[in-house]
Amino acid sequence: MDLSKAKLPKIYKRNGRDCYFDPIRKRLIYITPEETVRQKVISYLLDVLEVPAGMVQVEEHLSHYGLKSRDRADIVVLGKNKDNDAFPLTVIECKAEKVPLDEKAMNQVLDYSDAWGSIYTLLINGDREFCYKYDETKKQYVQIEKLPKYADMLTGDCAPVEQEVVPERIPFEKLEEELRSAFAEDEDGYYTGISKYTPMELALPVFNLWEGLLDVRVKMPTGKYGMFELLEDYGVRMLTYGNASGGQYYGPYRSFLVSIDGNTEIFSIGITTNYPRTIICVAHDDEKTSHHALQMSVDEDAVAAGKTVKFYHNGRIAIGRIGSGKKSELREMVSRRYPKILTEGKYYLGSITADHLLRLDEPDVIDLVVNLISYSIVRDEFREIVKARK
């Protein structure tokens, strides 16, 4: 959807603030980045996709269609069934520009669509979009190229998205050239996950490791490791996590479904930049929250010796709004729960020798992943103890 030419409603002043006059709700709406995207989408629906204005609803409550929920969908396009009753044909979720369209946002709008039984689903932030249609034969939503015109929505005429072929990995001898080229074009390391300020003797092996983690053709074998049993390598997911200081980390993570003493959890590993450093993040999704269990600075905690890099952590730990936990108490708990990573003053999490393309199924990489997740498990157990004590 090209929203660049979408017409925005006339702007008025109300209480000293700019407002749009919403053509659907027929009232003044304060202007926000998200509302601007919403109004552009409404304009596109009416002018380009030829949806009748009477078949568009904005901020529609799910409860209006018999669902026990206080949630609202941003935009709903209605259709008519054979009895001429209106039903939600398309559910649209709008985000402000630059807001990540991650898995959480995707699941939110798909849940709305599934609950309502709508045929089409659209998630859009003005820069990017994902569009889906429910496939009756597969009993699931499948991605389509774009939202069709209203007449085609009613008949189900739309084009499926061609499945992308997983690209071959960058040849080992070209990794450094690729990384330096990316640094020249992409100063913040967004596309590589590696900060251009990280020394090359660390940046290049970590880039190699990250490429290996992103290679979905290779899976980590299931089985018992460290403090957990790996039930399934979940592959790559687009996720957003925050930390205690308010930072946001968005991008691809390699996710693992694990069992810890009979409890099933998801841990995910990502590599990203936090100016000017490169950070290895281990995220944890439990039933209550999604958060970073560990953030390890490559620049501060990794040591290079030739093509081998050893990864350490200093033991610092943040505990939500409580602040920092005591490093001595964490160390005592690690000594009981996972002593194999204890070293003088730091925690040793493993090493890689990057003289070849690293893969997720080779021993050194598996050992690093296992230690990262196991250490994160202990850290989260420690957090819960401190929170309960406070």
Side-chain angles (χ1 to χ4, degrees), residues 55-79 81 85-93 107-122 134 136 141:
M55 303 306 283
V56 178
Q57 296 178 323
V58 180
E59 292 200 316
E60 176 68 353
H61 287 270
L62 272 66
S63 60
H64 287 179
Y65 289 88
L67 300 176
K68 294 182 179 179
S69 173
R70 294 182 179 180
D71 291 334
R72 295 181 297 184
D74 275 339
I75 301 172
V76 176
V77 176
L78 299 175
N81 61 23
D85 295 325
F87 73 96
L89 175 66
T90 303
V91 175
I92 301 172
E93 181 73 15
N107 287 339
Q108 176 190 4
V109 67
L110 285 173
D111 284 346
Y112 292 170
S113 294
D114 193 45
W116 265 338
S118 65
I119 297 172
Y120 297 95
T121 304
L122 176 67
Y134 189 75
E136 280 288 351
Y141 287 93

Side-chain angles (χ1 to χ4, degrees), residues 63-285:
S63 60
H64 287 179
Y65 289 88
L67 300 176
K68 294 182 179 179
S69 173
R70 294 182 179 180
D71 291 334
R72 295 181 297 184
D74 275 339
I75 301 172
V76 176
V77 176
L78 299 175
K80 291 286 185 73
N81 61 23
K82 60 184 179 181
D83 297 323
N84 207 36
D85 295 325
F87 73 96
L89 175 66
T90 303
V91 175
I92 301 172
E93 181 73 15
C94 301
K95 302 292 183 183
E97 289 188 9
K98 309 303 181 184
V99 171
L101 301 184
D102 60 7
E103 188 175 274
K104 182 179 179 181
M106 190 77 70
N107 287 339
Q108 176 190 4
V109 67
L110 285 173
D111 284 346
Y112 292 170
S113 294
D114 193 45
W116 265 338
S118 65
I119 297 172
Y120 297 95
T121 304
L122 176 67
L123 176 64
I124 186 168
N125 66 1
D127 297 319
R128 196 176 184 196
E129 69 185 79
F130 293 96
C131 194
Y132 293 85
K133 180 191 175 190
Y134 189 75
D135 188 318
E136 280 288 351
T137 58
K138 296 180 179 179
K139 302 298 181 186
Q140 66 182 33
Y141 287 93
V142 296
Q143 195 171 358
I144 58 177
E145 285 185 357
K146 61 183 179 181
L147 199 60
K149 288 194 173 186
Y150 185 67
D152 293 327
M153 286 188 214
L154 297 173
T155 62
D157 188 8
C158 58
V161 165
E162 293 288 336
Q163 291 297 315
E164 293 184 8
V165 177
V166 179
E168 292 296 322
R169 287 188 61 180
I170 303 164
F172 176 73
E173 62 276 7
K174 291 187 176 295
L175 279 174
E176 183 171 351
E177 176 187 340
E178 184 74 18
L179 189 57
R180 290 188 183 278
S181 175
F183 285 161
E185 297 178 12
D186 171 34
E187 292 188 0
D188 61 6
Y190 180 79
Y191 294 107
T192 62
I194 312 296
S195 169
K196 73 173 186 178
Y197 300 103
T198 300
M200 187 57 70
E201 65 267 22
L202 295 173
L204 186 58
V206 173
F207 180 50
N208 187 348
L209 172 66
W210 189 214
E211 289 283 293
L213 289 172
L214 293 176
D215 186 356
V216 295
R217 291 166 300 193
V218 180
K219 288 188 175 292
M220 181 170 163
T222 58
K224 283 193 168 291
Y225 298 99
M227 296 186 64
F228 62 89
E229 179 182 0
L230 176 61
L231 302 177
E232 185 176 350
D233 179 339
Y234 245 34
V236 174
R237 301 157 69 212
M238 297 299 292
L239 304 169
T240 303
Y241 291 96
N243 61 13
S245 62
Q248 288 285 329
Y249 298 83
Y250 165 70
Y253 284 72
R254 188 66 181 245
S255 294
F256 304 91
L257 189 69
V258 305
S259 176
I260 309 162
D261 300 328
N263 293 319
T264 304
E265 309 280 1
I266 298 177
F267 281 84
S268 305
I269 297 176
I271 298 179
T272 188
T273 60
N274 183 7
Y275 179 86
R277 303 166 299 166
T278 298
I279 306 293
I280 297 178
C281 303
V282 183
H284 178 201
D285 294 14

